[in-house]
Amino acid sequence: MKFNYIKIKEGFSNRTINFNENVNLIYSEKNSKGKTTLIRFLLYALGYNIPNTKKIKFKNCEVEASIQTEKYGEVILTRNSLDYIVAKYNHVKTTYVLPSQLLELHGIIYGSNNKNILDNILGAYYVDQEKGWTLLNRGTVIGSLHFNIEELIRGLSDCDCSKLIKEEAKLSKELGKYRQIFSVAQYRESVMRENSSLVVDEYSEEVNAILAQLLMEQKKARDELKRIDKVLNDNKQFKKFVAEMKLVVQTDNDEIITVRPENIVGLTDTIDYLIAKRKIAAMNLSEISKQIESLKKEEENEIIQLSFFEKENLIEIFDKKIASVPINIIAIKNEITRLEKALKIIRHKISLKTRENTKVIKALYDNVLKYAKELEVGDENSMSNSYIFTSNLKELTGAILHKTVFAFRLAYIIEIEKLLGIKLPIILDSPSGKEIDPENVQLMVDILKRDFSDNQIIIASIFKYQFDNIKLIEIKERLIENDDIMS
């Protein structure tokens, strides 16, 4: 995948920038001229949710980018809104709603539907100037976009942990709720300690208890009314059935009598009894409903009255309400402990399943180690096989962290390209950090020249680097100028 060109329009100003298929340097003599903005426009054109820069809001701009893909050839992407993007390829235009159809769009761009790969691919080939040079294997790529090495490895090894991950999300959500309840319980205890004389609103509690009892009685009365109606209906149906059948019976005296509803012993009395019982049940239900309505109106009036209290009294009202809520803090603690243990077990299972494919892990490790040695930031003694999962970054500072991050990113790119059969662009924003000297920068440049000569490289910097056939894209005063074309 390579960028051919990008067209940016803001109001009446516009700019078209063409890219070399090899090395491109977005350059300005001073900072804050628009180098980072141009790089972010490239990512924005791919459909990513990218934060604005200080001088430009992306939603106010129209962007068109042409990219060359391995699977579909040229794909032209047009984005005039935060909410959708239009892709034209194979002479067909398709609109993708963002962010819901972003993975579908990226499936076209990167030639894969592997969600774990697509969710983390940007974190492999793009290094942001702000957080990118400290992002080793987990963290923020840019804005709300994140990178996670475990997800990437699951994508590279086709490892399905969806059920475990779903269970993890469920437990995490439940644990979060219990922790919030625990915070409320702690607040309640502090209120009770600080206000030993605090009087709980017993009237309100009593009303709530009565209301709960009445609601239960209301349900019981409704069920009874339904039962009576059913029996009544059955008897009436039977009465009608007898009348329609026109049955006759013969007595012991050989007398023939026509069977009619009124001469069936007890039937009419039963129906009359049920009708009377229904009236009583209906009156009972009506009375209960009136009581419930009355209590609810009282509660509403109380809330209306409370709304007129001054602000300083609202805290007291809230404290009384909290104090009246029965919360078993010990039970909540136990539940939190149980959920934390369950979550730990689930995450351990996910980790074990992720690390089952030692072939992928070894390939990543070998590449990291290879570049770490060359950049003089580590070897077999300081980097074990599990080092790619490290979360201990305290020992990595300045230039060491900078170069280690670079080694990790290159390892990610190699393995993704191997799986997808594509070449990714390598986008580096400000590779010459504050604590990295020109010699170390040149070491990184030499690796790119040697091992990634087939990749399109885009670098934004105030420095110039020693590449062969480098294209200089210079920004003088402002990124977007009127009718400006850079060929």
Side-chain angles (χ1 to χ4, degrees):
M1 171 200 156
K2 295 180 180 180
F3 289 93
N4 296 320
Y5 68 78
I6 186 168
K7 295 179 181 179
I8 307 166
K9 183 178 180 182
E10 182 190 31
F12 294 105
S13 299
N14 61 80
R15 188 169 195 172
T16 300
I17 298 172
N18 296 309
F19 292 92
N20 187 310
E21 64 175 9
N22 299 121
V23 184
N24 301 266
L25 175 62
I26 301 170
Y27 172 80
S28 66
E29 291 184 354
K30 297 180 181 179
N31 283 317
S32 303
K33 295 298 181 182
K35 299 182 298 298
T36 293
T37 302
L38 176 52
I39 283 184
R40 291 190 181 184
F41 265 122
L42 293 175
L43 306 183
Y44 180 76
L46 296 178
Y48 289 108
N49 179 24
I50 301 298
N52 298 310
T53 52
K54 188 176 181 180
K55 296 180 180 179
I56 292 182
K57 295 188 183 301
F58 295 115
K59 68 177 182 179
N60 298 332
C61 301
E62 299 176 18
V63 182
E64 178 186 301
S66 168
I67 58 173
Q68 199 67 27
T69 68
E70 282 81 359
K71 189 172 182 179
Y72 294 98
E74 185 185 29
V75 177
I76 297 176
L77 303 165
T78 306
R79 189 172 184 184
N80 302 326
S81 164
L82 298 175
D83 303 322
Y84 67 91
I85 189 169
V86 178
K88 180 182 178 182
Y89 59 97
N90 292 343
H91 308 291
V92 176
K93 284 186 178 181
T94 306
T95 300
Y96 297 90
V97 178
L98 302 174
S100 59
Q101 292 183 299
L102 183 62
L103 286 178
E104 189 178 341
L105 171 65
H106 287 173
I108 302 298
I109 294 172
Y110 300 114
S112 171
N113 294 319
N114 187 317
K115 185 179 184 301
N116 283 321
I117 294 285
L118 296 179
D119 282 344
N120 293 278
I121 197 167
L122 184 64
Y125 72 78
Y126 165 67
V127 185
D128 182 55
Q129 68 165 349
E130 293 179 3
K131 296 181 179 179
W133 293 103
T134 61
L135 173 58
L136 196 66
N137 49 25
R138 300 174 194 87
T140 301
V141 179
I142 182 173
S144 60
L145 301 171
H146 288 76
F147 178 86
N148 183 282
I149 191 170
E150 283 86 359
E151 288 181 8
L152 179 62
I153 287 173
R154 288 197 289 273
L156 292 171
S157 57
D158 196 24
C159 173
D160 184 11
C161 287
S162 55
K163 288 184 179 179
L164 289 172
I165 291 170
K166 188 176 180 181
E167 180 64 20
E168 180 195 22
K170 180 183 175 184
L171 288 171
S172 294
K173 186 177 180 180
E174 195 174 343
L175 179 60
K177 288 182 178 180
Y178 270 102
R179 282 174 174 162
Q180 288 178 335
I181 295 172
F182 182 71
S183 296
V184 173
Q186 285 183 311
Y187 178 79
R188 180 182 181 274
E189 284 199 344
S190 69
V191 166
M192 299 300 286
R193 283 195 304 270
E194 293 170 9
N195 300 278
S196 56
S197 61
L198 183 68
V199 179
V200 177
D201 193 347
E202 293 181 359
Y203 171 75
S204 179
E205 283 299 294
E206 186 181 347
V207 168
N208 288 337
I210 294 171
L211 187 59
Q213 181 64 34
L214 286 172
L215 288 169
M216 290 173 64
E217 291 179 9
Q218 185 187 52
K219 183 180 183 304
K220 187 177 178 182
R222 281 175 176 165
D223 291 343
E224 176 66 10
L225 202 59
K226 285 181 183 178
R227 189 188 67 80
I228 293 171
D229 284 341
K230 185 178 184 304
V231 176
L232 255 175
N233 184 62
D234 291 346
N235 276 277
K236 288 178 180 178
Q237 289 295 326
F238 178 71
K239 187 175 181 179
K240 183 180 178 183
F241 172 73
V242 169
E244 291 176 350
M245 288 292 292
K246 298 180 179 179
L247 300 172
V248 295
V249 294
Q250 185 176 2
T251 68
D252 294 339
N253 299 325
D254 295 329
E255 183 182 358
I256 303 298
I257 299 173
T258 302
V259 178
R260 296 188 300 277
E262 58 270 19
N263 61 21
I264 298 177
V265 178
L267 178 59
T268 302
D269 291 341
T270 300
I271 293 174
D272 290 341
Y273 169 74
L274 288 170
I275 291 172
K277 190 172 182 180
R278 190 192 186 286
K279 287 181 180 177
I280 295 170
M283 288 174 62
N284 183 42
L285 177 60
S286 177
E287 182 61 30
I288 292 170
S289 298
K290 284 179 182 178
Q291 291 181 49
I292 290 172
E293 187 65 27
S294 176
L295 287 173
K296 285 184 175 180
K297 282 184 179 179
E298 285 183 26
E299 191 176 27
E300 287 174 5
N301 289 335
E302 183 184 357
I303 292 170
I304 291 170
Q305 289 174 6
L306 290 176
S307 67
F308 291 101
F309 285 8
E310 294 182 2
K311 287 184 178 179
E312 55 265 26
N313 290 331
L314 290 177
I315 295 175
E316 184 180 343
I317 294 162
F318 180 78
D319 287 350
K320 284 183 179 181
K321 293 292 183 183
I322 284 292
S324 68
V325 177
I327 304 177
N328 189 332
I329 197 166
I330 295 174
I332 294 167
K333 278 183 180 179
N334 291 338
E335 191 61 21
I336 288 173
T337 301
R338 183 191 71 80
L339 288 168
E340 285 175 341
K341 287 180 180 177
L343 202 55
K344 188 177 180 180
I345 291 169
I346 287 290
R347 285 172 176 166
H348 182 63
K349 287 181 180 178
I350 293 171
S351 179
L352 287 177
K353 197 168 177 62
T354 299
R355 302 185 190 204
E356 281 179 355
N357 194 322
T358 55
K359 184 179 178 182
V360 168
I361 295 171
K362 187 177 185 306
L364 280 170
Y365 170 72
D366 288 345
N367 286 319
V368 168
L369 187 62
K370 170 187 172 183
Y371 294 120
K373 285 180 177 179
E374 190 168 346
L375 294 167
E376 300 177 346
V377 292
D379 54 27
E380 293 90 342
N381 296 322
S382 60
M383 292 182 172
S384 65
N385 198 5
S386 61
Y387 188 78
I388 61 170
F389 297 102
T390 185
S391 56
N392 181 20
L393 302 184
K394 293 179 181 178
E395 60 188 30
L396 304 176
T397 57
I400 295 175
L401 177 59
H402 197 100
K403 292 188 289 183
T404 304
V405 167
F406 186 69
F408 270 68
R409 299 302 186 90
L410 297 183
Y412 301 149
I413 290 170
I414 290 169
E415 291 309 305
I416 292 172
E417 290 183 343
K418 191 190 301 181
L419 179 70
L420 302 187
I422 65 173
K423 287 293 178 183
L424 292 172
I426 299 174
I427 304 176
L428 307 176
D429 195 354
S430 305
S432 300
K434 294 179 181 178
E435 298 184 50
I436 188 162
D437 55 42
E439 289 76 16
N440 280 318
V441 173
Q442 193 57 47
L443 282 175
M444 295 191 294
V445 167
D446 290 342
I447 290 172
L448 293 176
K449 288 166 67 176
R450 184 191 68 222
D451 295 348
F452 297 88
S453 58
D454 293 332
N455 297 71
Q456 183 181 51
I457 298 170
I458 301 174
I459 299 174
S461 181
I462 58 173
F463 300 100
K464 293 183 178 180
Y465 304 100
Q466 296 179 13
F467 281 98
D468 299 326
N469 302 319
I470 189 169
K471 174 170 183 178
L472 188 69
I473 300 170
E474 186 171 4
I475 301 173
K476 294 180 179 178
E477 293 300 325
R478 193 172 183 271
L479 171 61
I480 307 172
E481 302 292 346
N482 192 37
D483 296 323
D484 193 0
I485 298 178
M486 296 194 69
S487 57

